[in-house]
Amino acid sequence: MRAKRPAFDFDRVLALRYNKTINQKIARIARGESFFDRFSIKKRKIVPFLLSQTDADKCRPSIIGRPKIKECTMPEEKKTFYMTTPIYYPSGDLHIGHTYTTVAADTLTRFKRQQGYDAYMLTGSDEHGQKIQKIAEEKGVTPKAYVDGTVAKIKELWKLMNIDYSQFIRTTDADHVKSVQKIFKRLYDQGDIYKGRYEGWYCTPDEAFWTDTQVVDGKCPDCGRPVERASEEAYFFRMSKYADRLLDYIESHPGFIQPEARQKEMINNFIKPGLQDLCVSRTSFDWGIPVEFDPGHVVYVWIDALSNYITALGYLNDKPQLMDRYWPADLHLVGKDIIRFHTIYWPIMLMALDLPLPKTIYGHGWILLKGGKMSKSIGNVVDPVELVKKYGVDPLRYHVLKEMKYGADGNYSEDLLVGNINADLANDLGNLLSRTVAMTVKYFDGTIPEERQSGDHDDALARVAEAVVQNYAKWMDKLDFSRALESIWELIGRANKYIDETEPWVLGKDDSQKSRLAAVLYNLSEALRIVGVLIAAPMPETSDKILEQMRIPEDLATWDSIQHFGSYPSGVQVERCEPLYPRIDVKALAKEKEKADQAAAKQAKKAKKQSKKATAPGVITIDDFGKVQMKVADVLSCEKHPDADKLLVFQLDFGDEKRQIISGIAKWYAPEDLVGKKVIACTNLKPVKLRGMDSNGMILSAEKDGELRVLTVDGDMPAGSIVG
């Protein structure tokens, strides 16, 4: 006779250890023994969960004398995916370039979550350094007060852009500070850090040291801005000790540095010529993490900034311990200008700490304007907040992802953004949705009948849809977000073509073709369902609108549900909808720009008259005149303002710095007329924003009877010479 089975508490909280002993653990619970015996977990993750009644039934023991446990199907632990953005330097407002990096990271994170991964995204702010200290002093506030305000604006921007990060780390966080101090001490104790003296060149904007051989004509080889001579006591990291090991690792791990061109650059330009030991502390300023064992020294940028990727996971601090779960990182996503620090300095630091290296470091290109690379220091930046106010969040997300091709630089202009909205979002996607819904409402009162007759072109649409899902996933995994979007639009284009092929407006006139018409509208609705799911990562708001409009339930808005064509739900009723993306009237937009230009010119003229009226009767003293700072500048480049016909955008070299100045002289000069000339500019005017672009000064000119001439300097007078 079979023994009576002992009582089993199916609501008991269990913990699943992923190893061969799991069935033994379940058997112990079945026998009434305590499971919580503090077994060694070493580096494995224990995940608490409630055992469902169904799963418990699968684990019920069959007892004949000694209990025997059936193999049970337990919930599998999710695969993890850990990705990071750079932590941004809060020396000013972030621009569209920073937005691209973070939108790309958010898109990939959302995609991995769609696929069922436990995806963790880290972003944050790098808040220490000499530049921050100088800016704070100029503003009359403490460095901490300054970065608090800037970081708050960064978080507001990411909220506006629908960035669903898992954690925002600040290098001023107490836990991060504690970890950095421990890392610095450990590296010092094991002989990887030593004390010396730095003699060389320093670039404040880039927070980078350079040797005599690396400096190019007195300028930073990375950013092209002037460097200054520095000499101070400092600690150094023995980079050279790990150079051979790093080279072996890179060459034996294809894909570690992406794209491949960046890998070749790092090897040939930096590693093989010989790595210089890295300065890792400073004594000439104090806004940084103090070196505990040597007062007067603060930890210099790279040990502080780069270690955020592990301190955020609880490394050597009291935060939740996530290192075992998420490290090594699956992807560090960075701009190409900082890839050297991430592919040389950071891996060597990890080697010294005996930690695994990240799986992939991807250095994407820059977003370029007509005048070149955007830079907060130069001031030629595009404000994403203004673009969102004007065009919306998802159009901007779509634009930056589409225009940044894999590994290459991308271009930005407002005309290109408007073109993408009109062609791709309004015409292609918006029309597909509105036409499909409108015909469903017109011919079937919003509900597609169950009786459907297949016909020509149905299979072709289905094949494209299923292929697009696979291609989209392939390009996302390859970090080619532009091609991933192209895949989605391939399905959108095929669905629009399907409408032209099947001519549902013709079918609707023939009652005998109602079942065929139902099949056509069903297939279009299914294509839109798949598009709605695919587009959820890059354009989450648009995805929600499509899926809501098509009345798609949650279980049919998943990644698994779109692996095969034909799951659009039966019986749902759709209603007519507002256009997903109305077309932007380009002519009206141009007129608005023209009116804004005229208003700005009128305001400037009025201000000029008021200034003349206010100052004409007066006589200034030599002290008054001395307040005006004027310098000679070389004109490096000159371009038309993208949003104002009367303005020219100048990039000027003043010898010790570069500046962007905008001048309303387009009526009298073509952009190329002044390139290479030496002009005189006032350099201590308060910066202003003209049609969305910063202007830091004023180029001097003379005007009479409606004619204007810019004041230039003859001879060999060097840039930066004082005019007075």
Side-chain angles (χ1 to χ4, degrees), residues 380-426:
N380 62 334
V381 299
V382 177
D383 184 357
V385 176
E386 294 301 317
L387 292 177
V388 168
K389 289 179 182 176
K390 199 169 184 179
Y391 301 111
V393 174
D394 275 4
L396 181 56
R397 286 176 65 110
Y398 175 77
H399 176 76
V400 295
L401 291 171
K402 178 187 176 184
E403 295 304 324
M404 289 294 291
K405 310 300 181 184
Y406 176 79
D409 294 332
N411 294 310
Y412 171 79
S413 73
E414 193 164 352
D415 289 343
L416 187 59
L417 171 59
V418 170
N420 281 331
I421 293 172
N422 281 345
D424 299 349
L425 303 185

CSV table of all heavy atoms in Angstrom, one decimal, residues 380-426:
chain,number,residue,atom,x,y,z
A,380,ASN,N,28.8,75.6,-30.4
A,380,ASN,CA,28.0,75.3,-31.6
A,380,ASN,C,27.2,74.0,-31.4
A,380,ASN,O,27.3,73.1,-32.1
A,380,ASN,CB,28.9,75.1,-32.8
A,380,ASN,CG,29.9,73.9,-32.7
A,380,ASN,OD1,30.2,73.5,-31.6
A,380,ASN,ND2,30.3,73.4,-33.8
A,381,VAL,N,26.3,74.1,-30.4
A,381,VAL,CA,25.5,72.9,-30.0
A,381,VAL,C,24.1,73.1,-30.4
A,381,VAL,O,23.6,74.2,-30.5
A,381,VAL,CB,25.7,72.6,-28.5
A,381,VAL,CG1,27.1,72.4,-28.1
A,381,VAL,CG2,25.1,73.8,-27.7
A,382,VAL,N,23.4,71.9,-30.5
A,382,VAL,CA,22.0,71.9,-30.8
A,382,VAL,C,21.3,71.4,-29.5
A,382,VAL,O,21.6,70.4,-29.0
A,382,VAL,CB,21.7,71.0,-32.0
A,382,VAL,CG1,20.2,70.9,-32.2
A,382,VAL,CG2,22.4,71.5,-33.2
A,383,ASP,N,20.3,72.2,-29.1
A,383,ASP,CA,19.6,71.9,-27.8
A,383,ASP,C,18.5,70.9,-28.1
A,383,ASP,O,17.5,71.3,-28.7
A,383,ASP,CB,19.1,73.2,-27.2
A,383,ASP,CG,18.4,73.0,-25.9
A,383,ASP,OD1,18.4,71.9,-25.4
A,383,ASP,OD2,18.0,74.0,-25.3
A,384,PRO,N,18.6,69.7,-27.5
A,384,PRO,CA,17.5,68.7,-27.7
A,384,PRO,C,16.2,69.1,-27.1
A,384,PRO,O,15.1,68.8,-27.6
A,384,PRO,CB,18.0,67.4,-27.1
A,384,PRO,CG,19.1,67.9,-26.1
A,384,PRO,CD,19.7,69.2,-26.7
A,385,VAL,N,16.2,69.9,-26.1
A,385,VAL,CA,15.0,70.3,-25.4
A,385,VAL,C,14.1,71.2,-26.4
A,385,VAL,O,12.9,71.0,-26.5
A,385,VAL,CB,15.3,71.1,-24.1
A,385,VAL,CG1,14.0,71.6,-23.5
A,385,VAL,CG2,16.0,70.2,-23.1
A,386,GLU,N,14.8,72.1,-27.1
A,386,GLU,CA,14.1,73.0,-28.0
A,386,GLU,C,13.5,72.1,-29.2
A,386,GLU,O,12.4,72.4,-29.7
A,386,GLU,CB,15.0,74.0,-28.6
A,386,GLU,CG,15.5,75.1,-27.5
A,386,GLU,CD,14.3,75.8,-26.9
A,386,GLU,OE1,13.4,76.2,-27.6
A,386,GLU,OE2,14.3,75.9,-25.6
A,387,LEU,N,14.2,71.1,-29.6
A,387,LEU,CA,13.7,70.3,-30.7
A,387,LEU,C,12.5,69.5,-30.3
A,387,LEU,O,11.6,69.3,-31.1
A,387,LEU,CB,14.9,69.4,-31.2
A,387,LEU,CG,16.0,70.0,-31.9
A,387,LEU,CD1,17.1,69.0,-32.3
A,387,LEU,CD2,15.6,70.8,-33.2
A,388,VAL,N,12.6,69.0,-29.0
A,388,VAL,CA,11.4,68.2,-28.5
A,388,VAL,C,10.2,69.1,-28.4
A,388,VAL,O,9.1,68.7,-28.8
A,388,VAL,CB,11.8,67.6,-27.2
A,388,VAL,CG1,10.5,67.0,-26.5
A,388,VAL,CG2,12.8,66.5,-27.3
A,389,LYS,N,10.4,70.3,-28.0
A,389,LYS,CA,9.2,71.2,-27.9
A,389,LYS,C,8.6,71.5,-29.2
A,389,LYS,O,7.4,71.6,-29.4
A,389,LYS,CB,9.7,72.6,-27.3
A,389,LYS,CG,10.0,72.5,-25.8
A,389,LYS,CD,10.5,73.9,-25.3
A,389,LYS,CE,10.9,73.9,-23.8
A,389,LYS,NZ,11.4,75.2,-23.4
A,390,LYS,N,9.4,71.5,-30.2
A,390,LYS,CA,9.0,71.8,-31.6
A,390,LYS,C,8.4,70.6,-32.3
A,390,LYS,O,7.4,70.7,-33.1
A,390,LYS,CB,10.1,72.4,-32.4
A,390,LYS,CG,9.8,73.2,-33.6
A,390,LYS,CD,11.0,74.0,-34.1
A,390,LYS,CE,10.6,74.9,-35.3
A,390,LYS,NZ,11.8,75.6,-35.7
A,391,TYR,N,9.1,69.4,-32.2
A,391,TYR,CA,8.8,68.3,-33.0
A,391,TYR,C,8.4,67.0,-32.3
A,391,TYR,O,7.8,66.1,-32.9
A,391,TYR,CB,10.0,67.9,-33.9
A,391,TYR,CG,10.4,69.1,-34.8
A,391,TYR,CD1,11.6,69.7,-34.6
A,391,TYR,CD2,9.6,69.5,-35.9
A,391,TYR,CE1,12.0,70.8,-35.5
A,391,TYR,CE2,9.9,70.5,-36.7
A,391,TYR,CZ,11.1,71.2,-36.5
A,391,TYR,OH,11.5,72.2,-37.3
A,392,GLY,N,8.6,66.9,-31.0
A,392,GLY,CA,8.3,65.8,-30.2
A,392,GLY,C,9.5,64.9,-29.9
A,392,GLY,O,10.5,65.0,-30.5
A,393,VAL,N,9.3,64.0,-28.9
A,393,VAL,CA,10.4,63.1,-28.5
A,393,VAL,C,10.7,62.0,-29.5
A,393,VAL,O,11.9,61.9,-29.9
A,393,VAL,CB,10.0,62.5,-27.1
A,393,VAL,CG1,11.0,61.4,-26.7
A,393,VAL,CG2,9.8,63.5,-26.0
A,394,ASP,N,9.7,61.3,-29.9
A,394,ASP,CA,10.0,60.1,-30.8
A,394,ASP,C,10.6,60.5,-32.1
A,394,ASP,O,11.5,59.9,-32.7
A,394,ASP,CB,8.8,59.3,-31.0
A,394,ASP,CG,8.6,58.2,-29.8
A,394,ASP,OD1,9.5,58.3,-28.9
A,394,ASP,OD2,7.7,57.4,-29.9
A,395,PRO,N,10.1,61.6,-32.7
A,395,PRO,CA,10.8,62.1,-34.0
A,395,PRO,C,12.3,62.3,-33.8
A,395,PRO,O,13.1,62.0,-34.7
A,395,PRO,CB,10.0,63.3,-34.4
A,395,PRO,CG,8.6,63.1,-33.8
A,395,PRO,CD,8.9,62.4,-32.5
A,396,LEU,N,12.6,62.9,-32.7
A,396,LEU,CA,14.1,63.2,-32.4
A,396,LEU,C,14.8,61.9,-32.2
A,396,LEU,O,15.9,61.7,-32.7
A,396,LEU,CB,14.2,64.1,-31.2
A,396,LEU,CG,15.7,64.5,-30.9
A,396,LEU,CD1,16.4,65.1,-32.1
A,396,LEU,CD2,15.7,65.5,-29.7
A,397,ARG,N,14.2,61.0,-31.4
A,397,ARG,CA,14.9,59.7,-31.2
A,397,ARG,C,15.1,59.0,-32.5
A,397,ARG,O,16.1,58.4,-32.8
A,397,ARG,CB,14.0,58.8,-30.3
A,397,ARG,CG,14.0,59.2,-28.8
A,397,ARG,CD,13.1,58.3,-28.0
A,397,ARG,NE,13.5,57.0,-27.9
A,397,ARG,CZ,13.9,56.3,-26.8
A,397,ARG,NH1,14.1,57.0,-25.7
A,397,ARG,NH2,14.3,55.1,-26.9
A,398,TYR,N,14.0,59.0,-33.4
A,398,TYR,CA,14.1,58.3,-34.7
A,398,TYR,C,15.2,58.9,-35.5
A,398,TYR,O,16.0,58.2,-36.1
A,398,TYR,CB,12.8,58.4,-35.4
A,398,TYR,CG,12.8,57.9,-36.8
A,398,TYR,CD1,12.8,56.5,-37.1
A,398,TYR,CD2,12.9,58.7,-37.9
A,398,TYR,CE1,12.8,56.0,-38.4
A,398,TYR,CE2,12.9,58.3,-39.2
A,398,TYR,CZ,12.9,56.9,-39.4
A,398,TYR,OH,12.9,56.4,-40.7
A,399,HIS,N,15.3,60.3,-35.5
A,399,HIS,CA,16.2,61.0,-36.4
A,399,HIS,C,17.6,60.7,-36.0
A,399,HIS,O,18.5,60.3,-36.9
A,399,HIS,CB,15.9,62.5,-36.3
A,399,HIS,CG,16.9,63.3,-37.1
A,399,HIS,ND1,16.9,63.4,-38.4
A,399,HIS,CD2,18.0,64.0,-36.7
A,399,HIS,CE1,17.9,64.2,-38.9
A,399,HIS,NE2,18.6,64.5,-37.8
A,400,VAL,N,18.0,60.7,-34.7
A,400,VAL,CA,19.4,60.5,-34.4
A,400,VAL,C,19.8,59.1,-34.6
A,400,VAL,O,20.9,58.8,-35.0
A,400,VAL,CB,19.7,61.0,-32.9
A,400,VAL,CG1,19.5,62.5,-32.8
A,400,VAL,CG2,18.8,60.2,-31.9
A,401,LEU,N,18.9,58.1,-34.4
A,401,LEU,CA,19.2,56.7,-34.6
A,401,LEU,C,19.4,56.4,-36.1
A,401,LEU,O,20.2,55.6,-36.5
A,401,LEU,CB,18.1,55.8,-34.0
A,401,LEU,CG,18.1,55.8,-32.4
A,401,LEU,CD1,16.8,55.1,-32.0
A,401,LEU,CD2,19.3,55.2,-31.8
A,402,LYS,N,18.5,57.0,-36.9
A,402,LYS,CA,18.6,56.8,-38.3
A,402,LYS,C,19.8,57.4,-39.0
A,402,LYS,O,20.5,56.7,-39.8
A,402,LYS,CB,17.3,57.3,-39.0
A,402,LYS,CG,17.3,57.1,-40.5
A,402,LYS,CD,16.2,57.8,-41.2
A,402,LYS,CE,16.3,57.7,-42.8
A,402,LYS,NZ,15.3,58.4,-43.5
A,403,GLU,N,20.2,58.6,-38.6
A,403,GLU,CA,21.2,59.3,-39.3
A,403,GLU,C,22.6,58.9,-38.8
A,403,GLU,O,23.6,59.2,-39.5
A,403,GLU,CB,21.0,60.8,-39.1
A,403,GLU,CG,19.8,61.3,-39.8
A,403,GLU,CD,19.7,61.0,-41.2
A,403,GLU,OE1,20.8,61.0,-41.9
A,403,GLU,OE2,18.6,60.8,-41.7
A,404,MET,N,22.8,58.2,-37.7
A,404,MET,CA,24.1,57.7,-37.2
A,404,MET,C,24.3,56.3,-37.8
A,404,MET,O,23.9,55.4,-37.2
A,404,MET,CB,24.2,57.8,-35.7
A,404,MET,CG,24.2,59.2,-35.2
A,404,MET,SD,25.7,60.1,-35.6
A,404,MET,CE,26.9,59.2,-34.6
A,405,LYS,N,25.1,56.2,-38.9
A,405,LYS,CA,25.4,54.9,-39.4
A,405,LYS,C,26.4,54.2,-38.6
A,405,LYS,O,27.2,54.9,-37.9
A,405,LYS,CB,25.9,55.0,-40.9
A,405,LYS,CG,25.0,55.9,-41.8
A,405,LYS,CD,23.5,55.3,-41.9
A,405,LYS,CE,22.7,56.2,-42.8
A,405,LYS,NZ,21.3,55.8,-42.9
A,406,TYR,N,26.5,52.9,-38.6
A,406,TYR,CA,27.4,52.2,-37.8
A,406,TYR,C,28.9,52.6,-38.0
A,406,TYR,O,29.4,52.6,-39.1
A,406,TYR,CB,27.3,50.7,-38.1
A,406,TYR,CG,28.3,49.8,-37.4
A,406,TYR,CD1,28.1,49.4,-36.0
A,406,TYR,CD2,29.5,49.4,-38.0
A,406,TYR,CE1,29.0,48.7,-35.4
A,406,TYR,CE2,30.4,48.6,-37.3
A,406,TYR,CZ,30.1,48.2,-36.0
A,406,TYR,OH,31.0,47.4,-35.3
A,407,GLY,N,29.5,53.1,-36.9
A,407,GLY,CA,30.9,53.5,-36.9
A,407,GLY,C,31.2,54.8,-37.5
A,407,GLY,O,32.4,55.2,-37.5
A,408,ALA,N,30.2,55.4,-38.2
A,408,ALA,CA,30.5,56.6,-38.9
A,408,ALA,C,29.9,57.9,-38.2
A,408,ALA,O,29.1,57.8,-37.3
A,408,ALA,CB,29.9,56.5,-40.3
A,409,ASP,N,30.4,59.0,-38.7
A,409,ASP,CA,29.8,60.3,-38.2
A,409,ASP,C,28.4,60.5,-38.9
A,409,ASP,O,28.2,60.0,-40.0
A,409,ASP,CB,30.7,61.5,-38.5
A,409,ASP,CG,32.0,61.4,-37.8
A,409,ASP,OD1,32.1,60.8,-36.7
A,409,ASP,OD2,33.0,62.0,-38.3
A,410,GLY,N,27.6,61.2,-38.2
A,410,GLY,CA,26.3,61.5,-38.8
A,410,GLY,C,26.1,63.0,-38.9
A,410,GLY,O,26.8,63.8,-38.3
A,411,ASN,N,25.2,63.4,-39.7
A,411,ASN,CA,24.9,64.9,-39.9
A,411,ASN,C,23.6,65.3,-39.3
A,411,ASN,O,22.7,64.5,-39.2
A,411,ASN,CB,24.9,65.1,-41.4
A,411,ASN,CG,26.2,64.9,-42.1
A,411,ASN,OD1,27.3,65.4,-41.6
A,411,ASN,ND2,26.2,64.2,-43.2
A,412,TYR,N,23.6,66.5,-38.9
A,412,TYR,CA,22.4,67.1,-38.3
A,412,TYR,C,22.1,68.4,-39.0
A,412,TYR,O,23.0,69.3,-39.2
A,412,TYR,CB,22.4,67.3,-36.8
A,412,TYR,CG,21.2,68.1,-36.4
A,412,TYR,CD1,20.0,67.5,-36.2
A,412,TYR,CD2,21.2,69.5,-36.3
A,412,TYR,CE1,18.8,68.2,-35.9
A,412,TYR,CE2,20.1,70.2,-35.9
A,412,TYR,CZ,18.9,69.6,-35.8
A,412,TYR,OH,17.8,70.3,-35.5
A,413,SER,N,20.8,68.6,-39.4
A,413,SER,CA,20.3,69.9,-39.8
A,413,SER,C,18.8,69.8,-39.5
A,413,SER,O,18.2,68.7,-39.6
A,413,SER,CB,20.6,70.2,-41.3
A,413,SER,OG,19.7,69.4,-42.1
A,414,GLU,N,18.2,70.9,-39.3
A,414,GLU,CA,16.8,70.9,-39.0
A,414,GLU,C,16.0,70.5,-40.2
A,414,GLU,O,14.9,69.8,-40.1
A,414,GLU,CB,16.3,72.2,-38.5
A,414,GLU,CG,14.9,72.2,-37.9
A,414,GLU,CD,14.6,73.4,-37.0
A,414,GLU,OE1,15.5,74.2,-36.8
A,414,GLU,OE2,13.4,73.6,-36.6
A,415,ASP,N,16.5,70.9,-41.4
A,415,ASP,CA,15.8,70.5,-42.6
A,415,ASP,C,15.8,68.9,-42.8
A,415,ASP,O,14.8,68.4,-43.2
A,415,ASP,CB,16.5,71.1,-43.8
A,415,ASP,CG,16.3,72.6,-43.9
A,415,ASP,OD1,15.3,73.1,-43.3
A,415,ASP,OD2,17.1,73.3,-44.6
A,416,LEU,N,16.9,68.3,-42.4
A,416,LEU,CA,16.9,66.8,-42.5
A,416,LEU,C,16.0,66.2,-41.5
A,416,LEU,O,15.3,65.2,-41.8
A,416,LEU,CB,18.4,66.4,-42.2
A,416,LEU,CG,18.7,64.9,-42.4
A,416,LEU,CD1,18.4,64.4,-43.9
A,416,LEU,CD2,20.1,64.6,-42.1
A,417,LEU,N,15.9,66.7,-40.3
A,417,LEU,CA,14.9,66.2,-39.3
A,417,LEU,C,13.5,66.4,-39.8
A,417,LEU,O,12.7,65.4,-39.7
A,417,LEU,CB,15.1,67.0,-38.0
A,417,LEU,CG,14.1,66.8,-36.9
A,417,LEU,CD1,14.0,65.4,-36.5
A,417,LEU,CD2,14.4,67.7,-35.7
A,418,VAL,N,13.1,67.5,-40.4
A,418,VAL,CA,11.8,67.7,-40.9
A,418,VAL,C,11.5,66.8,-42.0
A,418,VAL,O,10.4,66.2,-42.2
A,418,VAL,CB,11.6,69.2,-41.3
A,418,VAL,CG1,10.3,69.4,-42.1
A,418,VAL,CG2,11.6,70.1,-40.1
A,419,GLY,N,12.5,66.6,-42.9
A,419,GLY,CA,12.4,65.6,-44.0
A,419,GLY,C,12.1,64.2,-43.5
A,419,GLY,O,11.2,63.5,-44.1
A,420,ASN,N,12.8,63.8,-42.5
A,420,ASN,CA,12.5,62.4,-41.9
A,420,ASN,C,11.1,62.3,-41.3
A,420,ASN,O,10.4,61.3,-41.5
A,420,ASN,CB,13.6,62.1,-40.9
A,420,ASN,CG,14.9,61.7,-41.5
A,420,ASN,OD1,14.9,61.1,-42.6
A,420,ASN,ND2,16.0,61.9,-40.8
A,421,ILE,N,10.7,63.4,-40.7
A,421,ILE,CA,9.3,63.3,-40.1
A,421,ILE,C,8.3,63.2,-41.2
A,421,ILE,O,7.4,62.4,-41.1
A,421,ILE,CB,9.1,64.6,-39.2
A,421,ILE,CG1,10.0,64.6,-38.0
A,421,ILE,CG2,7.6,64.7,-38.8
A,421,ILE,CD1,10.0,65.9,-37.2
A,422,ASN,N,8.4,64.1,-42.2
A,422,ASN,CA,7.4,64.1,-43.3
A,422,ASN,C,7.4,62.8,-44.1
A,422,ASN,O,6.4,62.2,-44.4
A,422,ASN,CB,7.6,65.3,-44.2
A,422,ASN,CG,7.1,66.5,-43.6
A,422,ASN,OD1,6.3,66.5,-42.6
A,422,ASN,ND2,7.5,67.7,-44.1
A,423,ALA,N,8.6,62.3,-44.5
A,423,ALA,CA,8.7,61.2,-45.4
A,423,ALA,C,8.4,59.9,-44.7
A,423,ALA,O,7.6,59.0,-45.1
A,423,ALA,CB,10.1,61.1,-46.1
A,424,ASP,N,9.1,59.6,-43.5
A,424,ASP,CA,9.1,58.3,-42.9
A,424,ASP,C,7.9,58.2,-41.9
A,424,ASP,O,7.2,57.2,-41.8
A,424,ASP,CB,10.4,58.1,-42.2
A,424,ASP,CG,11.6,58.0,-43.1
A,424,ASP,OD1,11.4,58.0,-44.3
A,424,ASP,OD2,12.7,58.0,-42.6
A,425,LEU,N,7.7,59.2,-41.1
A,425,LEU,CA,6.8,59.1,-40.0
A,425,LEU,C,5.3,59.5,-40.4
A,425,LEU,O,4.4,58.8,-40.1
A,425,LEU,CB,7.2,60.0,-38.8
A,425,LEU,CG,8.6,59.7,-38.2
A,425,LEU,CD1,8.8,60.5,-37.0
A,425,LEU,CD2,8.7,58.2,-37.9
A,426,ALA,N,5.2,60.6,-41.2
A,426,ALA,CA,3.9,61.0,-41.6
A,426,ALA,C,3.4,60.2,-42.8
A,426,ALA,O,2.4,59.6,-42.8
A,426,ALA,CB,3.9,62.5,-41.9
